[in-house]
Amino acid sequence: VQSPGDRVWGLVFDLTDENLEVLDRFEGYPHQYDRFIARIDTPQGTVDAWVYTAARKQPFVAPSRRYVEIIKEAALRHGFPDAYVRMLEGVAAVDA
């Protein structure tokens, strides 16, 4: 969900048009998610990147514990800020 002024940590990948089509299907674009191009700050500079956002805001649904662990592992592997990792440790997750 878009939240002006907030920051999101993540990874940027270089995709082909075919990769983007596969990702669209996986993300449920355009029914579950919309996508738009945003200016993204990276350690190598600013790039334009596709960003997916929920098409309709839904009530909060806790993510699976495994999903949170995957994000946390990536955050640690790629040197995201300690405060972000601590925030992930506090996310209410469920066994799925």
Side-chain angles (χ1 to χ4, degrees):
V1 176
Q2 293 188 44
S3 183
D6 283 340
R7 288 185 170 200
V8 175
W9 288 89
L11 301 172
V12 177
F13 294 90
D14 189 15
L15 302 176
T16 66
D17 289 342
E18 293 78 20
N19 296 148
L20 187 59
E21 288 176 18
V22 171
L23 188 56
D24 282 346
R25 284 192 300 275
F26 181 81
E27 294 294 344
Y29 171 80
H31 305 291
Q32 294 173 297
Y33 285 86
D34 291 324
R35 64 173 160 87
F36 61 96
I37 294 179
R39 306 275 308 160
I40 306 295
D41 295 325
T42 75
Q44 292 77 32
T46 303
V47 298
D48 289 335
W50 285 112
V51 175
Y52 288 86
T53 185
R56 291 172 300 284
K57 186 173 180 175
Q58 304 290 327
F60 177 76
V61 175
S64 73
R65 196 166 322 282
R66 181 66 188 133
Y67 179 76
V68 174
E69 283 301 315
I70 289 169
I71 294 171
K72 183 179 164 188
E73 288 169 14
L76 290 168
R77 185 177 329 116
H78 295 282
F80 291 5
D82 291 340
Y84 181 74
V85 174
R86 284 192 306 274
M87 182 277 303
L88 290 171
E89 290 170 346
V91 169
V94 297
D95 293 322

